[in-house]
Amino acid sequence: MSTERIEVQRTIKADPASIFSVLRDPQGHVAIDGSGMLMDADGDVVNSVGDSFVVHMDREALGDIPLGEYDVTVTIETFVPDREIAWTILGTIRPQIGHVYGYRIEPVDGGSLVTSYYDWSNIDPKWREAGIFPVIAEGSLKATLGILARTVHRGYPH
């Protein structure tokens, strides 16, 4: 694994379609967030590359940069129903950073193997020079997968 990408995996006792339904829903992103930054979202369930929605963020959860509350636009970059979804984020910072978050889902015996990834290999040179990556720790990605497992198990949405 490169130093510009984090991947974590977890087997979740659910079919790929149930997991994907959470991941394509803006409110699903808020429901499973392990970083504590996602507060709410506005927008429709995504259906294809290029679809977008707004997430209301609060950087206080990380306590690293005093951004406070702000909004980001999530734009879908990869959309393969029930198999993979990935997106970039455009917030208040310019130039756009260019990091990508995503999930791959593979059916396995007893459920689905879910891989969460965070890739900053193609970020704008300004942000590479700033040396601030990774912004989200591997532990946050692992926590999100745990919350995803719990959310799907309990029946999303409810």
Side-chain angles (χ1 to χ4, degrees), residues 3-34:
T3 58
E4 296 180 329
R5 183 180 179 101
I6 299 170
E7 287 193 8
V8 297
Q9 293 183 318
R10 179 182 179 127
T11 299
I12 296 176
K13 295 178 183 177
D15 64 281
S18 296
I19 294 166
F20 199 76
S21 70
V22 175
L23 300 175
R24 61 191 287 257
D25 182 348
Q27 292 301 323
H29 285 250
V30 176
I32 67 169
D33 171 45

Side-chain angles (χ1 to χ4, degrees), residues 133-148:
F133 280 85
V135 174
I136 302 298
E138 183 175 329
S140 289
L141 295 181
K142 288 180 180 180
T144 297
L145 285 179
I147 298 166
L148 174 60

Side-chain angles (χ1 to χ4, degrees), residues 86-141:
W87 60 92
T88 57
I89 297 168
L90 179 60
T92 58
I93 297 173
R94 297 293 186 275
Q96 180 172 352
I97 297 172
H99 53 307
V100 176
Y101 293 93
Y103 293 90
R104 284 189 316 273
I105 308 166
E106 303 169 50
V108 296
D109 287 342
S112 302
L113 178 64
V114 182
T115 303
S116 173
Y117 58 90
Y118 171 40
D119 189 315
W120 61 96
S121 60
N122 291 315
I123 60 173
D124 185 275
K126 175 181 176 177
W127 304 115
R128 185 171 309 288
E129 292 166 12
I132 59 172
F133 280 85
V135 174
I136 302 298
E138 183 175 329
S140 289
L141 295 181

Side-chain angles (χ1 to χ4, degrees), residues 26-89:
Q27 292 301 323
H29 285 250
V30 176
I32 67 169
D33 171 45
S35 74
M37 291 192 305
L38 282 68
M39 299 289 109
D40 201 3
D42 291 315
D44 296 326
V45 171
V46 298
N47 293 303
S48 64
V49 170
D51 285 357
S52 64
F53 56 89
V54 173
V55 178
H56 308 291
M57 308 284 290
D58 186 350
R59 190 65 178 227
E60 288 297 312
L62 295 185
D64 60 347
I65 299 172
L67 290 176
E69 295 179 359
Y70 59 100
D71 290 343
V72 298
T73 300
V74 169
T75 301
I76 303 302
E77 192 172 86
T78 303
F79 190 92
V80 181
D82 303 337
R83 292 296 179 261
E84 185 171 9
I85 188 167
W87 60 92
T88 57
I89 297 168

